[in-house]
Amino acid sequence: MNMTLKDKIIIVTGASKGIGAGIANELALAGATVLLCARNSDQLNAVKENIEKEGGIAYAFPLDITSVAEITRVFKTIFDQFGKIDVLINNAGLGFNHAALDVEESDWDAMMDVNLKGLFFCAQQAGKYMIEKGYGRIINMSSQASLVAIKDHAVYCASKGGVNALTKVLALEWADKGITVNGISPTFTYTPGTAERLDSPDYLAGVLQRIPVGKVAAIADITTAIRYLIGPNSGMVTGSNLVIDGGWTIQ
Ligand SMILES: NC(=O)c1ccc[n+]([C@@H]2O[C@H](COP(=O)([O-])OP(=O)(O)OC[C@H]3O[C@@H](n4cnc5c(N)ncnc54)[C@H](O)[C@@H]3O)[C@@H](O)[C@H]2O)c1
């Protein structure tokens, strides 16, 4: 194990599967103590056991980020137990899509409640404790969909555009408090959840037509970006949005 993140306390939301589980695993193997948050305890415990099997340190904290009361309670428990929060990876998100004319009020509310409201209040609660310690790193999971239009993704694009706006405001408010806030914007990323679509040659060909480097992102591409943004020499980088899209949005 390469222990460059030893003694770092890192919260990862949406850590029960997909990108969040992968990031948590890779950060734990770099020595961090990783606090896994998502709704499903069984899935969280499976990710935790996996990390422990490989020699990493992880704890599971069941949390539904649509409840501000739950976020407040869980982040306080974490701060009381670990004495600090060094890093928040604000990753939990929903990504279903509909043609604009088919979007129902409940679709709008479900996606905004997680992608925007939940993300904001996780940042707020982590920020509160980071300010107390004079240090913190917050990474907000955005998407290439925050920068360009994608058909049938009106609500998702709006929610991720909102994430970019929040990233800049929080970065500005907390810049003189030792806290940086940055976003990352991946393109299609291969996970167990997206594999179903990306394993279909026709679907993959359609996606790759838009990605000049000719491949989708891997979770390791995302973790590498995160390791830079939480690393020792990136304190001047705040309010940015690191795009990991193989060139999708430059066209
Ligand atoms: N996979 C991609 O291609 C891709 C590309 C760009 C951005 N993203 C973003 O990356 C993030 C992770 O995506 P993924 O593909 O791993 O998704 P996923 O569906 O595989 O995992 C999402 C995670 O968020 C959690 N979550 C959802 N609602 C929650 C809630 N109310 N409270 C707590 N946790 C909740 C889920 O339990 C799960 O752990 C999302 O923000 C997504 O928008 C994904």
Side-chain angles (χ1 to χ4, degrees):
M1 275 166 69
N2 147 4
M3 299 297 281
T4 48
L5 295 177
K6 191 172 176 317
D7 300 327
K8 291 284 183 209
I9 301 295
I10 300 185
I11 297 176
V12 182
T13 69
S16 62
K17 59 182 172 147
I19 293 174
I23 293 170
N25 195 59
E26 291 176 17
L27 296 179
L29 294 188
T33 296
V34 177
L35 314 183
L36 311 163
C37 297
R39 291 159 301 175
N40 186 310
S41 299
D42 290 345
Q43 286 178 342
L44 281 180
N45 283 325
V47 175
K48 169 179 151 66
E49 279 164 27
N50 223 15
I51 289 172
E52 288 171 343
K53 242 187 259 163
E54 297 191 55
I57 305 170
Y59 296 82
F61 287 91
L63 169 63
D64 180 343
I65 67 162
T66 62
S67 160
V68 178
E70 262 193 53
I71 296 170
T72 306
R73 179 181 57 75
V74 168
F75 279 49
K76 180 177 187 317
T77 303
I78 287 172
F79 186 71
D80 289 347
Q81 191 172 332
F82 296 92
K84 61 176 184 166
I85 297 169
D86 293 306
V87 177
L88 167 66
I89 312 291
N90 230 342
N91 163 76
L94 296 181
F96 50 84
N97 40 282
H98 304 286
L101 289 179
D102 297 332
V103 173
E104 311 256 355
E105 184 179 2
S106 57
D107 300 322
W108 177 275
D109 289 345
M111 199 133 33
M112 291 298 178
D113 270 359
V114 177
N115 294 8
L116 211 42
K117 178 181 155 191
L119 174 138
F120 172 74
F121 283 101
C122 287
Q124 182 200 58
Q125 290 307 303
K128 183 172 81 179
Y129 296 116
M130 288 170 175
I131 288 169
E132 215 174 302
K133 292 286 172 181
Y135 175 84
R137 298 283 178 261
I138 296 176
I139 309 293
N140 291 330
M141 181 60 85
S142 188
S143 162
Q144 64 182 9
S146 69
L147 300 170
V148 291
I150 301 181
K151 256 190 186 172
D152 301 335
H153 284 68
V155 186
Y156 186 72
C157 287
S159 72
K160 294 298 186 180
V163 169
N164 294 359
L166 284 178
T167 296
K168 289 192 255 188
V169 177
L170 297 178
L172 186 61
E173 287 197 20
W174 298 340
D176 62 351
K177 297 175 172 39
I179 299 168
T180 65
V181 186
N182 289 290
I184 50 176
S185 285
T187 185
F188 280 87
T189 305
Y190 198 83
T191 68
T194 55
E196 203 176 295
R197 284 172 290 156
L198 293 175
D199 283 344
S200 143
D202 285 349
Y203 187 87
L204 180 64
V207 167
L208 293 185
Q209 253 182 3
R210 289 297 314 263
I211 305 182
V213 303
K215 57 181 181 174
V216 298
I219 290 172
D221 297 315
I222 294 173
T223 314
T224 301
I226 289 175
R227 298 233 359 219
Y228 166 65
L229 290 170
I230 67 175
N233 299 316
S234 57
M236 281 300 283
V237 182
T238 195
S240 76
N241 177 29
L242 209 166
V243 180
I244 310 163
D245 70 347
W248 182 301
T249 60
I250 56 180
Q251 301 163 88

